[in-house]
Amino acid sequence: MADSDYSNKHVEFKVPEPTPEEAAELETMYQKMDETYLKPLWRQIGGLMPNTPEPAAVAHKWVWADLIKLARRSGELVPVGRGGERRALGFANPGLGGNTYISPTLWAAIQYLAPGENAPEHRHSQNAFRFVIEGEGVWTVVNGDAVPMKRGDLLLTPGWNFHGHHNIATEPMAWLDGLDIPFQHQMDTGFFEYGSEALTDESTPEFSRSEKLWAHPGLRPLAFPGQTSSSPIGRYSWAHTDAALNDQLALEDAGFPGVAGPGHAAIRYTNPTTGGDVMSTIRCEFHRLRPSAETEPTHEVGNRVFQVFEGTGTINVGEKSFEVAKGDVVNIPSWQKWSVQADTDGLDLFCFSDFPIFEKLDLARVFIPKGI
């Protein structure tokens, strides 16, 4: 037979079934492996190395009306102080076995502070941010720097910075917390330390010291050369975010580049000392979609979370579609195809993700399937 004849033949090789004696010996061997804390690769490779990511986390929507109602009730029943530290309602992803994790790497919560309350100072190795959906009259104190918190502001507390909060207003405030608690818990890198019982600064300045130094577009103080691992800016003001988004859409109207997609303005909050992400493990963005605009369907390695700031629309994740309104929170698990479509009043969305982790590890991947 010629060599070419072999190329057209497909030979299947089937492993013969074990005899009863061999099956008994295999069972004895597997039992011994279990006792020795060993697992044979040939019995688990499909689960260890799937063709594409198979996240345990599932896409889910948390409704703002439910969140704020429960936060207010907790404000009536649960005090803020040492031990509990914060009145925070953590999002527990239904696919993660009851852990208070919104994804395998990210933790998120609604934190609620009543009028006149102080949350005592502490610090931890976990990176954290706060995004204010509504209200004002609260100051967060980060390493002794009093930082105002207002609607639409992004506030940073990078790892190992002392921080506490106080509310001088006559109304409560609720905001979104985001941290990398699950990632650091899995990596065994978490540390925690109590700080001052009383806030180290109870002043209420219009601008924090960090803003006065760092929050001037395109300018940095010569007194602080070099790079920092996290952004030195304590507050990213809504006024700057709103103006940047409006200017992108104005450029689109004038026929110039600048938007992320048709009718889709977007910004990434950055560390002015590096141009990179605000913190080493968390990326923060803000997206604005014109009325009826939509994003391209996208697959990404990593976990993304949206909170609606204003407007209404639909967030599609895999086979699920979530109709969303102000304050609603939706998570997107790794490699689940997602897209966003605004309703006729447009849609503003705050977003955070764990993408910096995977980019640093060279594990990031993005796929945008094109239609016919």
Side-chain angles (χ1 to χ4, degrees):
M1 182 181 290
D3 289 343
S4 58
D5 292 335
Y6 286 102
S7 62
N8 296 321
K9 295 185 179 293
H10 177 67
V11 179
E12 290 189 5
F13 177 75
K14 295 185 67 174
V15 177
E17 292 294 325
T19 64
E21 293 79 9
E22 290 171 335
E25 291 183 20
L26 280 169
E27 188 58 37
T28 300
M29 181 183 71
Y30 290 140
Q31 183 176 348
K32 185 63 177 177
M33 287 180 179
D34 287 341
E35 294 169 358
T36 317
Y37 300 101
L38 296 172
K39 295 291 181 183
L41 177 63
W42 59 87
R43 300 187 86 182
Q44 56 183 313
I45 190 168
L48 286 176
M49 300 181 188
N51 292 331
T52 59
E54 297 176 353
V58 298
H60 188 74
K61 179 180 79 168
W62 289 265
V63 179
W64 177 249
D66 298 333
L67 298 173
I68 194 62
K69 182 179 180 180
L70 288 167
R72 287 174 182 144
R73 187 58 177 152
S74 70
E76 296 167 355
L77 298 175
V78 181
V80 173
R82 280 289 179 239
E85 294 294 302
R86 303 291 187 259
R87 190 187 293 109
L89 284 63
F91 298 99
N93 188 291
L96 295 180
N99 286 323
T100 314
Y101 301 162
I102 200 165
S103 83
T105 53
L106 297 171
W107 189 90
I110 296 300
Q111 188 171 161
Y112 187 85
L113 198 65
E117 283 189 325
N118 285 3
E121 294 190 3
H122 63 215
R123 67 177 177 175
H124 38 72
S125 54
Q126 292 83 0
N127 294 300
F129 72 81
R130 289 171 291 287
F131 179 76
V132 184
I133 189 72
E134 61 181 27
E136 59 181 78
V138 171
W139 271 255
T140 183
V141 181
V142 181
N143 282 347
D145 188 13
V147 186
M149 296 176 62
K150 298 181 180 180
R151 178 179 179 275
D153 290 349
L154 172 68
L155 298 305
L156 300 184
T157 308
W160 218 234
N161 282 236
F162 279 112
H163 56 284
H165 320 302
H166 65 121
N167 185 350
I168 66 166
T170 58
E171 297 293 328
M173 181 188 275
W175 61 83
L176 178 72
D177 280 338
L179 297 92
D180 57 5
I181 291 173
F183 174 72
Q184 295 217 32
H185 181 74
Q186 283 283 9
M187 298 298 105
D188 291 323
T189 59
F191 293 87
F192 180 92
E193 182 180 322
Y194 292 122
S196 171
E197 189 72 32
L199 295 179
T200 51
D201 187 344
E202 292 193 358
S203 65
T204 56
E206 183 179 359
F207 298 102
S208 65
R209 296 196 304 273
S210 67
E211 288 176 90
K212 291 176 180 178
L213 273 174
W214 292 98
H216 302 285
L219 307 172
R220 66 173 293 170
L222 288 180
F224 296 91
Q227 299 183 354
T228 57
S229 59
S230 298
S231 173
I233 299 176
R235 176 177 73 133
Y236 291 77
S237 168
W238 170 244
H240 295 310
T241 303
D242 187 41
L245 296 164
N246 284 336
D247 284 345
Q248 285 187 21
L249 294 175
L251 286 170
E252 182 185 38
D253 288 338
F256 296 104
V259 292
H264 176 199
I267 59 97
R268 180 180 300 172
Y269 301 89
T270 60
N271 177 347
T273 74
T274 64
D277 288 294
V278 290
M279 292 182 288
S280 57
T281 55
I282 298 176
R283 174 167 297 165
C284 294
E285 301 172 344
F286 200 99
H287 297 253
R288 172 168 291 167
L289 275 69
R290 292 186 192 270
S292 303
E294 57 186 305
T295 66
E296 285 193 286
T298 303
H299 296 261
E300 299 165 313
V301 166
N303 300 274
R304 184 185 283 270
V305 179
F306 282 110
Q307 183 176 38
V308 177
F309 185 62
E310 286 289 353
T312 59
T314 302
I315 298 178
N316 304 298
V317 188
E319 301 301 317
K320 299 180 180 179
S321 292
F322 303 104
E323 294 182 0
V324 292
K326 180 179 177 179
D328 292 350
V329 174
V330 173
N331 73 295
I332 299 171
S334 184
W335 211 246
Q336 295 271 316
K337 184 172 70 172
W338 69 271
S339 62
V340 180
Q341 182 170 7
D343 287 343
T344 55
D345 55 351
L347 187 61
D348 276 7
L349 297 153
F350 173 75
C351 177
F352 71 100
S353 69
D354 53 12
F355 295 166
I357 297 172
F358 302 106
E359 290 177 358
K360 289 181 178 69
L361 296 173
D362 290 329
L363 294 173
R365 182 176 291 193
V366 178
F367 171 59
I368 302 176
K370 299 293 184 180
I372 297 175

